[in-house]
Amino acid sequence: MGTEVILSLYFFGNIGDGAVPDRCKGIEFDAITPDEKGVTLFFKGDHLWKGFHGSIQLANESFKELDDNHHIGHVDASFRMHNTEKTGDHDHIYLFLDDKVFRYYNENLEDGYPKEIQEDFPGVPSHLDAAVECPKGECIADSVLFFKGQDIHVYDVATKTVKTKTWSHLPVCTSALRWLEHYYCFHGHNFTRFNPVTGEVSGGYPKDARSYFMKCAGFGHGGNYSTPKCSEIKLDAITSDDPGKTYLFSGPIYMRLDTKRDGLHAFPITRTWKEVSNGVDAVFSFTNKIYMIKDDKVYIYKSAAHYTLIEGYPKTLKDELSIEGHVDSAFVCPSENMVYIIQGNTMREVDLTATPRVVTQDLPLPLSDIDAGLCGPEGIHLFKGGLYYHYESPMTLALSRIAPFPQNITSAMLGCQD
Ligand SMILES: *[C@@H]1O[C@H](CO)[C@@H](O)[C@H](O)[C@H]1NC(C)=O
Ligand SMILES: *[C@@H]1O[C@H](CO)[C@@H](O)[C@H](O)[C@H]1NC(C)=O
Ligand SMILES: *[C@@H]1O[C@H](CO)[C@@H](O)[C@H](O)[C@H]1NC(C)=O
Ligand SMILES: *[C@@H]1O[C@H](CO)[C@@H](O)[C@H](O)[C@H]1NC(C)=O
């Protein structure tokens, strides 16, 4: 009786022959890597998930050579190459099975593969547990970290040399992933974030992978967001800061658009700006600060590693910017001091270096009901539903009598579905 119960539990938590794994049941992945498009691939047995939300499929549907020589079809480790040298392997995907390495681009196996692992990676052992790229800046040189047991083999891409370290404080990683500049070791259904140079772990780890890297009922942080169609998108705001981080805001969520190499992901706004709990009307960036407008309030955050609300905020729009009424959108052009605030079919100019702040100009617009506006090196984009309008500069926008022909928002711009 007792034995039967234990056996059935065992069978449930593990994958028997022919059984289809369910990543929401808490499984251990064999390998995880982003692909050349930024979609994260999760391997388990002969199956694969594409993306944090994707459904399960057979791994050989995408990587058809995987079972030619290996009937088990089980990937030990995988990573996406980061190579700043012009060697032609940048963003190519490496999959490791036993003593072989397979290199893919766009799901096509490349000539000469599979190879013995040591032909491509001299000094790296076979039968790996995990692998992850580590670009220069995050590691000392462009490197790949190979995991086997508690040993980490740090492979230098340029010199093709290996240094081995032992990180015995870290769990044995069955897969590893670099995501949004951070490094994750996966073990069981948990993961632990580590420093790729020292192996150091700080913060409350391990955490459950189901709450962060996949969409599972009963897990996560209320990230109940599905990618809208581009024609149906409704932005609230969009902004780009000096270091080049670009954020899109829509309802309760935000997305960073400058991290396409890691895919686009929606997060609740409150995850990063916890006081802004009711969405935003307009957002702009100026001198390492992000200004968020909602109703008649302005929230100003200092941006460093984290955003922190400046003391005394939120303040009223009137006190901060000498503006009253609903704001549709706001933007600052690179290296300018003016914020352009769009309200209905009026654009108001406010000098952010003047005290007190005053509206220096009211300009009529040939458009109204703008959702969001962004000014960058390519000029101004004004977004309205699934369409956008492009202008060379604030001056051409203010001087135009008729609206330019609208263009469709594309998935390449905003990560929506075409
Ligand atoms: C793909 O994998 C499945 C399960 O391992 C196997 O049954 C099937 O024959 C494979 N398909 C091809 C085309 O190799
Ligand atoms: C996952 O982490 C939790 C603590 O957060 C721990 O209690 C549990 O044993 C871990 N499970 C596995 C399979 O590593
Ligand atoms: C997620 O969205 C669905 C439908 O849009 C809704 O019914 C559900 O309550 C939402 N769940 C959460 C946790 O917000
Ligand atoms: C925008 O999309 C619509 C239908 O989706 C199409 O009819 C129209 O031609 C497109 N406009 C442009 C400028 O591409």
Side-chain angles (χ1 to χ4, degrees):
M1 218 11 213
T3 318
E4 238 173 72
V5 172
I6 290 164
L7 277 176
S8 67
L9 279 176
Y10 178 82
F11 196 73
F12 229 81
N14 290 268
I15 294 137
D17 284 332
V20 175
D22 177 348
R23 59 175 166 174
C24 289
K25 290 241 167 79
I27 59 170
E28 182 166 88
F29 295 101
D30 295 330
I32 306 177
T33 183
D35 72 7
E36 59 288 321
K37 298 182 193 73
V39 176
T40 309
L41 308 176
F42 297 84
F43 291 93
K44 175 68 184 178
D46 51 12
H47 284 84
L48 159 68
W49 291 262
K50 287 186 178 178
F52 290 21
H53 303 301
S55 55
I56 190 164
Q57 54 175 254
L58 282 168
N60 61 12
E61 284 176 31
S62 298
F63 301 97
K64 59 177 186 304
E65 295 80 7
L66 285 185
D67 29 34
D68 281 358
N69 311 314
H70 298 260
H71 302 292
I72 41 164
H74 158 115
V75 178
D76 293 329
S78 61
F79 77 96
R80 181 180 62 181
M81 177 63 94
H82 175 80
N83 195 344
T84 46
E85 306 290 321
K86 297 255 178 296
T87 53
D89 54 0
H90 181 66
D91 277 357
H92 291 227
I93 313 303
Y94 289 79
L95 302 178
F96 298 83
L97 276 82
D98 301 341
D99 54 356
K100 296 279 190 300
V101 55
F102 293 66
R103 192 172 93 182
Y104 284 90
Y105 194 73
N106 268 331
E107 300 183 352
N108 292 316
L109 185 69
E110 296 186 70
D111 285 351
Y113 289 87
K115 286 182 186 174
E116 300 284 317
I117 293 175
Q118 293 74 23
E119 279 184 60
D120 263 8
F121 302 99
V124 170
S126 300
H127 302 281
L128 290 162
D129 288 331
V132 65
E133 63 162 329
C134 187
K136 187 174 176 171
E138 295 170 19
C139 277
I140 291 146
D142 277 331
S143 308
V144 184
L145 310 185
F146 290 99
F147 296 75
K148 184 166 180 168
Q150 243 129 10
D151 288 341
I152 317 300
H153 306 275
V154 183
Y155 178 82
D156 183 314
V157 173
T159 63
K160 292 183 170 266
T161 53
V162 176
K163 284 202 185 101
T164 300
K165 305 174 181 180
T166 303
W167 288 341
S168 28
H169 63 283
L170 206 64
V172 171
C173 312
T174 64
S175 53
L177 175 68
R178 171 182 180 270
W179 190 62
L180 299 177
E181 295 130 41
H182 292 306
Y183 290 79
Y184 300 95
C185 155
F186 287 75
H187 47 97
H189 57 75
N190 289 335
F191 68 94
T192 296
R193 195 174 114 189
F194 63 95
N195 178 308
V197 177
T198 62
E200 198 183 331
V201 175
S202 48
Y205 292 96
K207 292 182 179 172
D208 196 311
R210 290 171 289 184
S211 300
Y212 297 86
F213 291 97
M214 55 213 70
K215 193 174 183 176
C216 296
F219 288 91
H221 306 277
N224 197 11
Y225 178 78
S226 53
T227 315
K229 285 214 173 84
C230 291
S231 57
E232 291 166 6
I233 202 164
K234 177 83 180 138
L235 296 186
D236 290 325
I238 185 165
T239 190
S240 203
D241 69 6
D242 286 337
K245 289 182 187 161
T246 301
Y247 296 99
L248 160 168
F249 299 85
S250 177
I253 67 100
Y254 80 89
M255 263 202 291
R256 242 179 91 181
L257 295 179
D258 55 297
T259 54
K260 286 213 181 86
R261 200 168 173 264
D262 294 345
L264 296 171
H265 298 272
F267 298 104
I269 294 173
T270 46
R271 180 182 190 255
T272 302
W273 300 280
K274 70 173 187 296
E275 294 81 5
V276 182
S277 53
N278 212 6
V280 296
D281 294 331
V283 177
F284 63 92
S285 304
F286 181 65
T287 60
N288 292 321
K289 295 188 195 75
I290 188 163
Y291 290 62
M292 312 182 85
I293 300 174
K294 176 63 183 173
D295 301 326
D296 67 340
K297 297 274 190 303
V298 183
Y299 298 76
I300 307 183
Y301 286 86
K302 251 190 267 186
S303 56
H306 299 283
Y307 287 92
T308 42
L309 186 65
I310 293 177
E311 211 184 311
Y313 286 87
K315 289 187 180 169
T316 65
L317 259 178
K318 189 162 184 356
D319 286 346
E320 184 63 32
L321 297 169
S322 269
I323 296 255
E324 284 181 278
H326 179 78
V327 171
D328 291 328
S329 87
F331 56 86
V332 175
C333 294
S335 63
E336 285 194 10
N337 297 329
M338 294 295 174
V339 58
Y340 296 94
I341 295 177
I342 296 180
Q343 299 185 283
N345 55 4
T346 303
M347 182 166 78
R348 302 185 201 282
E349 194 185 283
V350 177
D351 185 341
L352 292 168
T353 55
T355 28
R357 306 272 165 76
V358 286
V359 175
T360 47
Q361 276 201 83
D362 264 354
L363 304 158
L365 284 187
L367 295 162
S368 62
D369 302 317
I370 293 302
D371 296 331
L374 183 67
C375 184
E378 302 87 30
I380 295 171
H381 290 88
L382 297 182
F383 298 91
K384 180 170 170 170
L387 301 173
Y388 74 94
Y389 299 83
H390 178 250
Y391 293 89
E392 293 298 317
S393 69
M395 218 24 71
T396 55
L397 169 56
L399 292 175
S400 56
R401 292 284 170 272
I402 50 165
F405 197 68
Q407 297 173 56
N408 292 323
I409 289 175
T410 63
S411 71
M413 292 172 81
L414 301 185
C416 43
Q417 289 180 281
D418 276 328

